[in-house]
Amino acid sequence: MRRIGPMILALLLAACVSSPTIDNEYAPGTDFGRFRTYSWLGVPQAASPSTAQRIVAGVDARLQAKGWQRIESGGDVAIAAHVATTQNQSVDTFYIGPSYTGWNWSGSGGWARSSGHTSSTVRTYEVGTLVVDMFDTSTRQVIWRGTASKAVPASQSRVDRAIDDGIARIFAGFPPGVSAK
């Protein structure tokens, strides 16, 4: 039993530091090689202004690294980013027993047996989702969407790291269908 406790703790900690869930989709047949400029439709509505600025700066850095240039309006692509949070719950149940507790002195003799017990813990946590949409301004059609979801960390420094990690993972294979230069 002494070995099980540390293993459970390690699994719980590993679940808390998991990487974000990433999803990307794009319009088939889109020639991403023809896009060179982009404009923001508006800054994302986030819990804090610094979080919104961090998202815009992260997206800008990824796109500029791909050779795209940000202009204030009229870009080849229009970008919109959205942040949403939801509350989730997890239930952890641990079963302990049955066990033999020792000699039974109740008069019947023999070993006493415990039926064991169950312990459940309900944990409520927030999951944050970042969605980045891109629109071809000439057709006004969605050409690409990237999302990242993860449990929201407790400290602001960890939130900042989660945002940076999520944006990096969203844009890891961007743009689709274009060979690296």
Side-chain angles (χ1 to χ4, degrees):
M1 186 66 183
R2 286 185 177 165
R3 292 183 147 189
I4 293 175
M7 289 189 322
I8 291 172
L9 180 61
L11 288 173
L12 289 174
L13 289 174
C16 291
V17 295
S18 64
S19 60
T21 302
I22 305 298
D23 187 32
N24 289 319
E25 57 186 81
Y26 64 97
T30 302
D31 178 13
F32 284 88
R34 69 183 179 91
F35 301 119
R36 295 285 175 234
T37 61
Y38 68 96
S39 302
W40 281 91
L41 290 176
V43 296
Q45 299 297 314
S48 73
S50 64
T51 299
Q53 290 172 350
R54 183 170 215 90
I55 292 167
V56 170
V59 171
D60 284 348
R62 295 320 181 284
L63 291 176
Q64 290 167 9
K66 304 290 182 174
W68 289 30
Q69 179 185 2
R70 178 180 174 175
I71 59 176
E72 288 308 309
S73 64
D76 300 330
V77 173
I79 298 179
H82 311 281
V83 178
T85 58
T86 57
Q87 285 198 345
N88 287 2
Q89 290 184 330
S90 68
V91 179
D92 298 317
T93 303
F94 299 98
Y95 301 96
I96 302 170
S99 64
Y100 293 92
T101 59
W103 187 257
N104 179 357
W105 291 101
S106 64
S108 62
W111 287 92
R113 181 175 182 267
S114 166
S115 61
H117 68 280
T118 303
S119 173
S120 293
T121 304
V122 178
R123 183 174 69 95
T124 301
Y125 60 97
E126 216 172 18
V127 173
T129 301
L130 170 63
V131 180
V132 180
D133 289 318
M134 293 185 177
F135 303 89
D136 181 339
T137 56
S138 65
T139 64
R140 297 185 181 259
Q141 298 295 311
V142 176
I143 57 171
W144 185 85
R145 169 175 272 190
T147 62
S149 295
K150 183 177 180 172
V152 177
S155 73
Q156 186 61 44
S157 64
R158 288 185 180 193
V159 168
D160 293 345
R161 283 195 302 260
I163 290 170
D164 293 342
D165 184 42
I167 292 172
R169 290 172 184 259
I170 285 174
F171 284 95
F174 183 84
V178 176
S179 60
K181 294 179 180 181

